[in-house]
Each structure stands twice: as C-alpha cells, then as structure tokens.
Amino acid sequence: NETIMNDSIIDLVKFLKLDIFHLHTSGKNLKWVIVFFLFSKLKKTKFIITFHSFRYELSDISDFYKHLFRFILKRLSHVVVTNNKIKERLIGLGSDKLKISVIPAFIAPELSNNQNILPKEIISFIKRRSPIISSYAYTLKDDTPDLNEMGTTDLYGVSLLLDLCINMKKSFPQIGIILSVANLNDEGFLKKIKIKINKNNIKNNFFIYGKPVENIHNLWSNSDVY
C-alpha cells in the first residue's frame, strides 16, 4: 500500500544519512551480517553489531564463511554481546577483545505480585490450577530440524513444555502451565501444538495466551516456577 511504500522510502533516506549503523542480530544468519557490512562500507559509516546470541559452534561454520566473518569482525567499529560465551566464540573467530563489550540484556522489573494487573483469562487460570509454571515466547517458531513427534525443535522449547505438562500431570493433576506468546504467527506449528494438547488430555492444564502481556513480570511473580 501507498502509506507503507512512503514510510519505506522515508526510512531508506534516513538510513542513507546515518553516521553509525548498529545491527542487532541473533547471529543465526551470517549472510545478513555480510550484506550490512558491505553496505556500511559503501556508505563509509561506522558499523557496530550487537549479538543477542550466537548459535554457531566454530566447527559448524564453513571455511568460506569463517574467513569472511573474521575479515568483517576485524573491521567492525565495536561489538556488543550479551554474555561471555558469545564473546569467547567471537574472539575465537578473530575479533579484537578490546572492541567487545559484554552487556547483559536483562533489565530487572519492579517487584510486584499484583494479580489484578494481569489479563482476566490468566487470572482465572491461576485461580483454578496449582502449581503454576509460566514461560514466555516472543513467537511460536518451528525452525530447527529434530524432535519427538513435532518434526522439528521449536525456538522457545514449547515442545519441552508440553512434555513437562504431560509428565507432571501424573503427580500433580491440577498443574497449570501458562505460555505467554507475543506473536502467534506460525499457524502450522500452533495446530501441531493443539493436536498434541488434545491427544494427551492436557487442555485444562496448558494455557497459551497469544497476546502481549503488559507488566508480564506480574505473571512470573504469581507463578511457582518461571
């Protein structure tokens, strides 16, 4: 649509005027790092990368990408990582340790156990079930090969939560597991999850809340386990 196109053009113009380009990445797809590095060189801008995770073992990277990635790392203005393990992997790939800052992504919330702030569906579930286990996923994403009955391993471990619920129900019949998902954008995977829930008779024990929860730490503080 025309509005989206105009916004995209405005964003592109702003992008072309940047003095510093800061890329946030999970480190999953090194091709994008290469693309943006080349673009930053074309524009002669400083290039900073924040790695929120880095899923590759050094042995998983092909020699071609390893050499190319080393070339890029040595020419970055700075690198930010969320833990020391990522830092060690990047140093192993040739990054200058003096150019790496470790900044954990965790921001402590204000402590509260006010149930009334939570959506009424979640409050109702908490009141009906015990113990309560809660978890969070930004999205339901089924993208890594391998796992029992699901065909693949999902990014946030939803399959493991389902197995946990099935096994725990044997000893704790009233157990409740709440999975808060900000974006329900994988209908195929959601269908697989619902089939597994119905097949194992845990519909009343496993609750998926498919919208963002404001002040979500209130859910965690009202849980026995997060």
Coordinates of all heavy atoms in Angstrom, one line a residue, residues 1 10 19 24 33 40 57 59 61-62 70 73 75 77 98-99 106 119 139 143 162 174 183 194 200 208-209 212 218:
N1 N 0.8 -1.2 0.0 CA 0.0 0.0 0.0 C 0.9 1.2 0.0 O 2.0 1.2 0.3 CB -1.0 -0.1 1.1 CG -0.8 0.5 2.4 OD1 0.0 1.4 2.6 ND2 -1.7 0.1 3.3
I10 N 11.0 6.9 3.2 CA 11.5 7.8 4.3 C 12.6 7.1 5.1 O 13.6 7.7 5.4 CB 10.3 8.3 5.2 CG1 9.4 9.2 4.4 CG2 10.9 9.0 6.4 CD1 8.1 9.6 5.1
D19 N 25.5 8.1 10.3 CA 26.9 8.1 10.6 C 27.4 6.8 11.2 O 28.5 6.4 11.1 CB 27.3 9.3 11.5 CG 27.0 10.6 10.8 OD1 27.3 10.8 9.6 OD2 26.4 11.5 11.5
H24 N 21.4 -5.2 15.2 CA 21.1 -6.2 16.3 C 20.7 -7.5 15.6 O 19.9 -7.6 14.7 CB 19.9 -5.7 17.1 CG 20.2 -4.6 18.0 ND1 20.4 -4.7 19.3 CD2 20.3 -3.2 17.7 CE1 20.7 -3.5 19.9 NE2 20.6 -2.6 18.9
V33 N 24.8 -10.3 8.1 CA 25.9 -9.5 8.7 C 26.8 -9.1 7.5 O 27.3 -7.9 7.5 CB 26.7 -10.4 9.7 CG1 28.0 -9.7 10.1 CG2 25.9 -10.7 10.9
S40 N 27.6 -0.8 4.8 CA 28.2 0.3 5.7 C 29.5 0.8 5.1 O 29.8 1.9 5.2 CB 28.4 -0.3 7.1 OG 29.5 -1.3 7.1
E57 N 28.5 -23.2 16.7 CA 29.8 -23.6 17.2 C 30.8 -23.3 16.1 O 30.5 -23.3 14.9 CB 29.8 -25.1 17.5 CG 28.9 -25.5 18.6 CD 29.3 -25.1 20.0 OE1 30.5 -24.7 20.1 OE2 28.5 -25.2 20.9
S59 N 33.0 -25.0 14.8 CA 33.1 -26.2 13.9 C 31.9 -26.2 12.9 O 32.0 -26.9 11.9 CB 33.2 -27.5 14.7 OG 32.0 -27.6 15.5
I61 N 30.8 -23.7 11.2 CA 30.9 -22.6 10.2 C 31.8 -23.1 9.1 O 32.9 -23.6 9.4 CB 31.4 -21.3 10.8 CG1 30.5 -20.9 11.9 CG2 31.4 -20.2 9.7 CD1 31.0 -19.7 12.7
S62 N 31.4 -23.0 7.8 CA 32.3 -23.4 6.7 C 33.5 -22.5 6.7 O 33.5 -21.4 7.1 CB 31.5 -23.3 5.4 OG 31.3 -22.0 5.1
R70 N 35.8 -13.5 9.8 CA 37.0 -13.0 10.5 C 37.4 -11.7 9.9 O 37.7 -10.7 10.6 CB 38.1 -14.0 10.4 CG 38.0 -15.1 11.4 CD 39.2 -16.1 11.2 NE 39.2 -17.2 12.2 CZ 39.6 -18.4 12.0 NH1 40.0 -18.8 10.8 NH2 39.5 -19.3 13.0
L73 N 34.8 -9.1 11.3 CA 35.0 -8.8 12.7 C 36.2 -7.9 13.0 O 36.1 -7.0 13.9 CB 35.2 -10.1 13.5 CG 34.0 -11.0 13.7 CD1 34.3 -12.3 14.3 CD2 33.0 -10.3 14.6
R75 N 37.2 -5.5 11.3 CA 37.0 -4.2 10.7 C 35.7 -3.5 11.3 O 35.4 -2.4 10.9 CB 36.9 -4.3 9.2 CG 38.2 -4.6 8.5 CD 38.1 -5.2 7.2 NE 39.4 -5.4 6.6 CZ 40.2 -6.4 6.9 NH1 39.8 -7.3 7.8 NH2 41.4 -6.5 6.4
S77 N 33.6 -1.4 14.0 CA 33.9 -0.3 15.0 C 33.8 -0.8 16.4 O 34.7 -0.5 17.3 CB 33.0 0.8 14.8 OG 33.1 1.3 13.5
L98 N 39.4 -6.2 22.8 CA 39.3 -4.8 23.3 C 38.1 -4.1 22.7 O 37.7 -3.0 23.1 CB 40.6 -4.1 23.0 CG 41.8 -4.6 23.8 CD1 43.1 -3.8 23.4 CD2 41.6 -4.6 25.3
K99 N 37.6 -4.6 21.6 CA 36.5 -4.0 20.9 C 35.1 -4.6 21.2 O 34.1 -4.4 20.6 CB 36.7 -4.1 19.4 CG 37.7 -3.1 18.8 CD 37.7 -3.2 17.3 CE 38.7 -2.1 16.7 NZ 38.6 -2.2 15.2
F106 N 19.3 -8.5 30.3 CA 18.3 -8.5 31.4 C 18.1 -7.1 32.0 O 19.1 -6.5 32.4 CB 18.7 -9.5 32.5 CG 17.7 -9.5 33.7 CD1 16.5 -10.0 33.5 CD2 18.2 -9.0 34.9 CE1 15.6 -10.0 34.6 CE2 17.3 -9.0 36.0 CZ 16.0 -9.5 35.8
P119 N -4.2 -10.0 32.6 CA -5.5 -10.2 31.8 C -6.4 -11.2 32.6 O -5.9 -12.1 33.3 CB -5.0 -10.8 30.5 CG -3.6 -10.3 30.4 CD -3.1 -10.3 31.7
T139 N 7.7 -15.5 19.9 CA 6.9 -16.0 18.8 C 6.9 -17.5 18.8 O 7.8 -18.1 19.4 CB 7.4 -15.5 17.4 OG1 6.6 -16.0 16.4 CG2 8.8 -16.0 17.2
D143 N 11.7 -24.0 13.7 CA 12.7 -23.8 12.6 C 13.9 -24.6 12.6 O 14.8 -24.5 11.8 CB 13.1 -22.3 12.6 CG 13.8 -21.9 13.8 OD1 13.9 -22.7 14.8 OD2 14.3 -20.8 13.8
L162 N 5.3 -28.9 26.7 CA 4.2 -29.8 26.6 C 4.6 -31.2 27.2 O 3.7 -31.8 28.0 CB 3.9 -30.0 25.1 CG 3.3 -28.9 24.4 CD1 3.3 -29.1 22.9 CD2 1.9 -28.6 24.9
Q174 N -3.6 -31.1 39.1 CA -4.1 -29.8 38.9 C -3.1 -28.8 38.4 O -3.3 -27.6 38.4 CB -4.7 -29.3 40.3 CG -5.8 -30.1 40.8 CD -7.0 -30.1 39.9 OE1 -7.4 -29.0 39.3 NE2 -7.5 -31.3 39.6
N183 N 3.5 -13.1 19.7 CA 3.1 -13.2 18.3 C 2.8 -14.6 17.9 O 3.7 -15.5 17.8 CB 4.2 -12.7 17.4 CG 4.5 -11.2 17.7 OD1 3.8 -10.3 17.3 ND2 5.6 -11.0 18.4
K194 N -1.7 -27.8 19.4 CA -3.1 -28.1 19.8 C -3.4 -29.6 19.7 O -4.1 -30.1 20.5 CB -4.1 -27.2 19.0 CG -4.0 -25.7 19.4 CD -5.0 -24.9 18.7 CE -5.0 -23.4 19.1 NZ -5.9 -22.6 18.4
N200 N -3.1 -35.7 24.4 CA -2.6 -36.1 25.7 C -3.5 -35.6 26.9 O -3.1 -35.6 28.1 CB -1.2 -35.6 25.9 CG -0.2 -36.3 25.0 OD1 0.2 -37.4 25.3 ND2 0.1 -35.7 23.9
I208 N -2.3 -21.3 26.5 CA -1.5 -20.4 25.6 C -2.2 -19.1 25.6 O -3.3 -19.0 25.1 CB -1.3 -21.0 24.2 CG1 -0.5 -22.3 24.3 CG2 -0.5 -20.0 23.3 CD1 -0.4 -23.0 23.0
Y209 N -1.5 -18.0 26.0 CA -2.1 -16.7 25.9 C -1.4 -16.0 24.8 O -0.2 -15.7 24.9 CB -1.9 -15.9 27.2 CG -2.6 -14.6 27.2 CD1 -4.0 -14.5 27.4 CD2 -2.0 -13.4 26.9 CE1 -4.7 -13.3 27.4 CE2 -2.6 -12.2 26.9 CZ -4.0 -12.1 27.1 OH -4.7 -10.9 27.1
P212 N 0.5 -9.9 23.7 CA 1.5 -9.3 24.6 C 0.8 -9.0 26.0 O -0.4 -8.6 26.0 CB 1.9 -8.0 23.9 CG 1.6 -8.2 22.5 CD 0.4 -9.1 22.4
N218 N 4.4 -9.6 36.5 CA 3.4 -10.0 37.5 C 2.9 -11.4 37.3 O 2.5 -12.1 38.2 CB 2.2 -9.0 37.4 CG 2.5 -7.7 38.0 OD1 2.5 -7.6 39.2 ND2 2.7 -6.7 37.1

